[in-house]
Amino acid sequence: MTESNPADDNQFQVEIISPQPENKCFNLKSFAVIVGFANLLIFSVNSYLGSQITTIEKRFNLASSDSGLLMSGNDIGFLVTSLFLTYLLKDTHRPKLLGISGVLSGLACMICSLPHFVTPKSNAETTSNISAIIVEKELSYCESSMNANETCAQNEVDETTYSKNIAFGLILMSTFFIGVCKSPRTALTTAYIDDNTESVYTNAYISIVTAIGVIGPVLAFIIGGMFSRIYVTLEPTNITPLNPEWIGAWWLGFVVFGVVSVLFSFILCIFPDKKKEIIKKQTRKLSVKDLLLTFGRFFQNPMLIIIALETGINSFNSSGGIAFLPKYFEHEFRWPTWKANIIFGSTLIVMASVGFLFGGTITSFFKMGPKACLKFSVFALFFRLCLYWFCLIDFCPDLETRSNTLLKRSTSLNLTNGFDNTSIDPNAYCLDCECSEDQYEPVCGEDGQMFRSPCYAGCRVKNIKTLTFSDCACVGGNRTAKSGLCPVKCEKDFLVPVILSIVAISSTISLASNTIVVVRSVKESDKTMAISFFSFISSIIGWLPAPPAFGYVVDSSCKTWSKLACEQKGACKEYDMDTFRYRFFLLQCGLSSLAFLLKFVAAVIGLKSKRYFTEEKSEINSAN
């Protein structure tokens, strides 16, 4: 029942709703757990997409700048709809709306897997499962290089372009729609919990939802690593994850996340939209004038604006790292995709969550005021900046594949004991012609030497069934080689993940103190809007543009692009790792330096000016 006074319709509304008896199964505790898992699945789709970026690029011949745009689709959908959807849907049946948005998100997630089913199979998928007993063919690299300029087939161009466009369009559209569906979820969840329990218990239930959500990105990268170990066709294959032609079951995770999300969301629809009894509450309507005045006060607050810019730059840095650090691990240390994803998820993402929890604990335990929080944030950012520079060190020198300037006339070679630089004419080649620099199909000789292609190894025969090569002039022993990279072990490859894990802790440990500074530097009535303003700035400056920007940086370090029909450029097959490392981490160091300088300036303004933190002064005076 709702009663209102017409004379005060713009100011107050009396709302008396009798609470319904609580169902033992569908109570607030079970709601918090179920909505927590539903949010986990929906909010983690972008993390799972990040774990499959390398595979999707390889499968559909996308550049890193293209895959970076796919990573931004979710944030685009969230940004363009979050404010007005939250406002329009605030008075709806909240559990049912959460359920519907979860079902729609699950369906959109499953649509992300459609390119696997509706596009033609790649060459790797069609040639990796040969049923013949022995299939060998002669390799004629010299003849193929002479005929390299033969007329291209237009149907191959159309097929490649079709696959690329369909995959890019479906995944971008789906991630955009998932962003739309998730935009009102946090507000609706918080409002439902607050309306159905006493105020002192609200934070406890919200903590349950948040605690479940924290494990989402970790789970997404670990699941992504597991599915990357399964071949894309789910069938036995002759190649291994170390082979550059390996394509993991990238689509399987989208199906699993989508189906489970739909199941949890259907359960949410069963919960009643009950509310606690509200005696009298103020419902003053917010006008456009009030909104403009609020933003005007924000822009007259220099410390607040500087911290907002610093937050956006930190978000930019974090977003680019989440998108492409697994790719860096994969190529720098020659880890298979599954290993890079699992290590990234179980170290950096876990440590970021730990940093967030430590930061909240530290600020609460020491009862830090906003001035102490400012000092703590400056120290944390300076410590992070110092750590980033260590990532420029080459802990594992890049192992170059065999250069084609070494061997030419294989008939004059005697390599029974393996390759020996001192006994070979440096002006010779393995074959009677030069090998193409554009060909990158690494093979591992039985003597442990790795070559960028069978031509570089001087191989003349390929067994298509076992993907092995024989009669390889540059390989010692029996002169055989197998497709893929040679297993390598770098004793110091753990150092970069360890350093970046500490960076992750130092990046998130100051988030709680940052929030305290923000809410204490504005009027009481502006606190909610200030937090929303910071979320908007983080997305528009950081999470949205960072993946495509970092993608361009990654593409600029590419050494060998895959060649498609009619000289079209596909995905990058080989990176210059020195260039990759320096450009990627110098960008992160530069952004961290700028963020530190902005926070330092904000701290100077906040500590020197008398206009900020009046609440802290009054609390100190009352304590004395």
Side-chain angles (χ1 to χ4, degrees), residues 145 189 203 252 290 316-317 348 356 377 482 494 523 583:
S145 61
T189 300
N203 284 339
L252 193 56
D290 293 330
F316 189 98
N317 216 356
L348 275 73
F356 181 78
S377 298
K482 60 181 180 180
F494 69 94
K523 293 175 59 178
R583 291 181 180 176

Side-chain angles (χ1 to χ4, degrees), residues 115-388:
H116 171 70
F117 301 98
V118 301
T119 58
K121 290 185 177 182
S122 64
N123 291 334
E125 293 176 65
T126 55
T127 60
S128 62
N129 298 294
I130 305 297
S131 58
I133 298 177
I134 297 178
V135 180
E136 291 188 344
K137 70 173 182 178
E138 296 284 337
L139 300 178
S140 302
Y141 292 107
C142 297
E143 293 178 8
S144 57
S145 61
M146 288 167 35
N147 298 328
N149 296 323
E150 61 186 6
T151 305
C152 64
Q154 185 62 39
N155 62 327
E156 293 184 25
V157 178
D158 295 339
E159 186 176 285
T160 303
T161 305
Y162 170 79
S163 297
K164 179 177 180 178
N165 292 342
I166 286 293
F168 184 84
L170 284 176
I171 296 176
L172 182 62
M173 177 190 68
S174 300
T175 54
F176 175 87
F177 191 70
I178 292 171
V180 173
C181 291
K182 82 174 187 181
S183 59
R185 292 188 69 85
T186 300
L188 292 175
T189 300
T190 304
Y192 181 81
I193 290 174
D194 189 54
D195 282 349
N196 288 278
T197 188
E198 298 178 24
S199 300
V200 293
Y201 299 124
T202 298
N203 284 339
Y205 287 111
I206 293 177
S207 297
I208 294 174
V209 179
T210 305
I212 295 173
V214 163
I215 66 174
V218 180
L219 191 65
F221 274 96
I222 291 176
I223 291 176
M226 293 169 57
F227 289 151
S228 295
R229 299 188 71 175
I230 304 172
Y231 195 63
V232 63
T233 60
L234 306 184
E235 299 173 350
T237 180
N238 298 316
I239 62 176
T240 68
L242 281 174
N243 193 309
E245 298 299 320
W246 176 272
I247 298 176
W250 63 272
W251 56 273
L252 193 56
F254 290 113
V255 175
V256 172
F257 273 78
V259 170
V260 179
S261 176
V262 169
L263 294 177
F264 274 104
S265 299
F266 272 127
I267 300 174
L268 282 175
C269 295
I270 304 175
F271 282 87
D273 190 29
K274 57 188 179 183
K275 299 177 182 178
K276 63 184 179 182
E277 185 175 354
I278 302 173
I279 304 300
K280 192 174 186 179
K281 71 175 181 180
Q282 189 172 359
T283 58
R284 184 177 181 274
K285 295 182 179 179
L286 183 67
S287 64
V288 175
K289 180 181 178 181
D290 293 330
L291 190 62
L292 293 176
L293 288 174
T294 300
F295 282 111
R297 288 191 291 271
F298 289 166
F299 283 99
Q300 292 174 4
N301 187 334
M303 187 189 71
L304 188 73
I305 297 301
I306 292 173
I307 295 177
L309 292 175
E310 174 259 330
T311 303
I313 291 170
N314 280 330
S315 299
F316 189 98
N317 216 356
S318 299
S319 180
I322 291 173
F324 293 106
L325 271 176
K327 177 192 282 284
Y328 173 78
F329 290 162
E330 183 179 344
H331 289 272
E332 174 73 349
F333 308 124
R334 289 182 181 157
W335 290 346
T337 303
W338 66 267
K339 183 177 180 179
N341 284 326
I342 289 178
I343 289 180
F344 182 77
S346 59
T347 54
L348 275 73
I349 302 297
V350 168
M351 290 299 103
S353 302
V354 169
F356 181 78
L357 295 176
F358 276 180
T361 303
I362 290 171
T363 53
S364 299
F365 181 80
F366 291 103
K367 298 180 180 178
M368 294 168 61
K371 289 187 176 181
C373 288
L374 267 177
K375 297 175 183 177
F376 180 68
S377 298
V378 171
F379 172 77
L381 290 179
F382 179 74
F383 181 66
R384 182 189 70 171
L385 174 59
C386 293
L387 286 173
Y388 258 131

